[in-house]
Amino acid sequence: MANSTKLSRVFNLIELNYKNLTNQINNWLSSKYDKSGILFNSSSPYGQILEVNKELFLHNILYLKNFVKQLDIDQSNSKRMISNIARMSGHNPSRSISAKGTLKLKLKQGIDISKKVAGGQITIYNDTVIRNKTNSLFYTLKVGTDKNIYPLAPGCQFFVPVLQGKYERQSFTGDGTISQSFQVTVDNNAFIDNFDYQIFLNGNNLRIKEHLYDMLENELACYTRTGFNGGLDMYFGNGKNGIIPSIGSLIEIKYLLTNGLQGNILNNKVNDFVFVDDIYDDDGNPVEVSQLFDIFIETDVIFASDGESIEYTKSVIPYVSRNFVLATPAQFIYHLSKLNMFSKVNAFNNLDMIRFDINNDGSLDYININEMYLYLIPRITDYFSNDVNYFNVSYESFYLDQTEKDRIITYLKMQGIVSITAIIKII
């Protein structure tokens, strides 16, 4: 304590000016040993050690200053920090969304089915992984059941839904305490799809709720949030609201690991996919897909997103809606802007009183019809590449086709919070 008090009289320890503090040290050493410039200089051993310490001090101060700056959301430029601040404010940042489409597999001409495929039919298992040759990304086939069997005949063709990314699993163990939480961590350059994940407790598929208080007593449910470290956080209940995983219980999560916007396929080439996983004939032997089928993109593999931008997250925090209902134009704009897919998002409604036979007794009553009109302009820069720019991008990129409109409506309904009186129309 005595040494500390003595030093405080010599140095101004709260001096954070790099040059001033350096001068204080040099002046004190020169005065102490009365040999300035002879034994003490930057080339002497002690002088070099001092220079290193000063540099370390400088870096520490700069790091501290930058860290404090990141805590101010208006000045922060760190996506992770902004996302975490948003989490604490009540806003759950949207993660990436996988591109989706449909592939067509058409049997090549001249194939002798009896020689090439035992039993004359093939089996494709759900979640079969393929890879795109152009962008080298993984895609997954979704056949709707554990497996699908396709009989083969000359000229036959069949269609398989596909989404970008591949599935992974992680497991955890319950400890019997209330309000258990688990962090699903992934690599920094990987993203868990915003919607495509399932959570299991001892093999039981859990319902995903919005909040702790949305869960019933001991209900097989949990709620999730975008992780502070970029993955996904899972939260369980307290018995009164949601189930408590018992000691030793097995908690598993299956999630789609996606590359977001990179997964959009803009040039629909033929035979641009290779199968990573096998498909099988009737005897259980793998078949060579490239020799049997031509692969076409039937419906565009698009509608991907990198999640909400940091600019949007910053702007939306003061306006986070806590009623969890999609009913007003502002709430529709809030949820659609989170997709980070459109250069312009607007919404307006038309509340009209109309007469309708509610009781089916011939008498007409007045009811409200809430028609919500969505005005959405695609962000065409998402289609740009080394060969595509504003001047040669396809004309269709400026408009939403019916498939894209249907996917937007599906996205809104997946939220589970659309008002039952709302009729949604995309203009």
Side-chain angles (χ1 to χ4, degrees):
M1 179 66 69
N3 290 336
S4 174
T5 304
K6 186 175 181 179
L7 283 174
S8 64
R9 295 178 187 147
V10 177
F11 300 112
N12 180 7
L13 295 181
I14 62 171
E15 177 61 76
L16 297 184
N17 185 292
Y18 175 66
K19 184 176 180 180
N20 290 349
L21 189 58
T22 301
N23 290 338
Q24 287 184 40
I25 295 172
N26 289 337
N27 292 337
W28 181 81
L29 289 172
S30 299
S31 174
K32 178 73 173 177
Y33 296 102
D34 196 23
K35 292 183 178 181
S36 174
I38 300 175
L39 297 178
F40 174 69
N41 54 55
S42 58
S43 62
S44 64
Y46 194 84
Q48 292 182 24
I49 293 174
L50 181 61
E51 288 293 327
V52 171
N53 284 328
K54 289 189 295 183
E55 290 295 327
L56 291 174
F57 171 79
L58 174 63
H59 287 297
N60 286 334
I61 293 300
L62 290 177
Y63 177 81
L64 179 62
K65 182 178 180 181
N66 184 62
F67 175 77
V68 173
K69 177 183 176 181
Q70 298 303 319
L71 294 176
D72 183 354
I73 195 168
D74 291 327
Q75 298 185 58
S76 178
N77 55 13
S78 168
K79 185 172 183 178
R80 176 183 172 186
M81 186 66 73
I82 293 171
S83 177
N84 291 346
I85 294 174
R87 273 282 311 272
M88 291 184 286
S89 73
H91 172 68
N92 185 31
S94 293
R95 299 182 303 279
S96 297
I97 299 174
S98 174
K100 299 175 179 64
T102 306
L103 299 184
K104 179 176 74 175
L105 276 67
K106 184 176 181 180
L107 191 67
K108 292 185 176 181
Q109 294 182 354
I111 295 294
D112 189 338
I113 300 174
S114 60
K115 292 182 179 180
K116 291 287 187 181
V117 183
Q121 59 186 18
I122 61 170
T123 300
I124 299 181
Y125 285 87
N126 196 38
D127 297 345
T128 293
V129 177
I130 60 178
R131 183 175 57 83
N132 184 264
K133 296 178 183 178
T134 300
N135 60 25
S136 299
L137 299 181
F138 292 108
Y139 291 75
T140 298
L141 301 182
K142 304 293 291 184
V143 298
T145 59
D146 288 339
K147 62 181 179 180
N148 232 349
I149 298 175
Y150 300 90
L152 301 183
C156 72
Q157 61 186 26
F158 49 90
F159 305 91
V160 184
V162 65
L163 49 85
Q164 194 276 315
K166 63 178 180 178
Y167 287 97
E168 291 187 352
R169 288 178 178 266
Q170 290 189 34
S171 59
F172 307 88
T173 304
D175 59 14
T177 61
I178 65 171
S179 303
Q180 296 174 51
S181 62
F182 302 91
Q183 293 183 343
V184 183
T185 57
V186 295
D187 293 337
N188 291 332
N189 295 325
F191 307 96
I192 296 177
D193 188 273
N194 199 55
F195 304 106
D196 202 332
Y197 59 91
Q198 293 176 288
I199 300 173
F200 305 89
L201 176 60
N202 292 329
N204 296 305
N205 195 352
L206 301 182
R207 297 186 64 186
I208 309 298
K209 297 298 187 74
E210 286 292 326
H211 196 274
L212 173 68
Y213 299 115
D214 291 336
M215 297 189 288
L216 303 176
E217 185 174 357
N218 289 317
E219 182 181 9
L220 285 170
C222 65
Y223 67 98
T224 62
R225 294 289 184 268
T226 297
F228 284 108
N229 294 318
L232 185 71
D233 293 344
M234 302 182 293
Y235 299 90
F236 288 86
N238 52 22
K240 182 178 180 181
N241 301 100
I243 194 169
I244 302 174
S246 59
I247 296 177
S249 58
L250 178 61
I251 301 164
E252 292 182 289
I253 179 171
K254 175 186 176 183
Y255 54 88
L256 180 68
L257 206 61
T258 178
N259 295 91
L261 196 60
Q262 298 178 47
N264 280 340
I265 297 179
L266 308 179
N267 299 314
N268 295 347
K269 300 178 182 178
V270 180
N271 294 328
D272 199 30
F273 289 93
V274 294
F275 275 68
V276 177
D277 293 338
D278 291 322
I279 63 176
Y280 302 90
D281 61 19
D282 216 28
D283 291 340
N285 299 315
V287 300
E288 186 58 50
V289 179
S290 60
Q291 295 179 6
L292 294 176
F293 299 98
D294 289 319
I295 304 176
F296 302 85
I297 294 179
E298 181 67 16
T299 59
D300 293 337
V301 184
I302 52 174
F303 205 66
S305 168
D306 283 339
E308 61 187 62
S309 64
I310 59 175
E311 292 78 12
Y312 172 76
T313 306
K314 283 182 179 182
S315 65
V316 81
I317 287 177
Y319 307 104
V320 176
S321 172
R322 286 176 168 73
N323 58 13
F324 303 111
V325 174
L326 270 176
T328 67
Q331 290 163 336
F332 275 88
I333 293 172
Y334 168 78
H335 280 277
L336 287 168
S337 297
K338 289 176 68 176
L339 287 174
N340 195 23
M341 292 180 178
F342 310 105
S343 61
K344 177 68 176 178
V345 176
N346 205 350
F348 57 92
N349 59 0
N350 181 19
L351 277 171
D352 288 328
M353 295 291 293
I354 67 170
R355 302 187 73 187
F356 189 75
D357 186 3
I358 299 176
N359 300 316
N360 207 21
D361 58 3
S363 62
L364 298 179
D365 298 303
Y366 285 98
I367 63 172
N368 278 321
I369 293 295
N370 182 8
E371 289 188 337
M372 186 65 61
Y373 297 93
L374 306 180
Y375 180 75
L376 307 171
I377 298 179
R379 190 176 60 189
I380 63 166
T381 53
D382 291 346
Y383 295 89
F384 289 0
S385 64
N386 292 335
D387 302 321
V388 180
N389 55 46
Y390 184 85
F391 298 100
N392 60 8
V393 67
S394 65
Y395 186 73
E396 291 76 15
S397 302
F398 291 86
Y399 293 91
L400 296 174
D401 59 28
Q402 190 57 48
T403 300
E404 292 172 309
K405 291 181 181 180
D406 292 341
R407 289 175 179 174
I408 294 169
I409 299 297
T410 300
Y411 162 76
L412 293 172
K413 291 181 177 179
M414 284 175 63
Q415 306 298 306
I417 52 177
V418 177
S419 171
I420 60 174
T421 63
I423 298 174
I424 304 172
K425 296 183 179 180
I426 298 177
I427 58 172

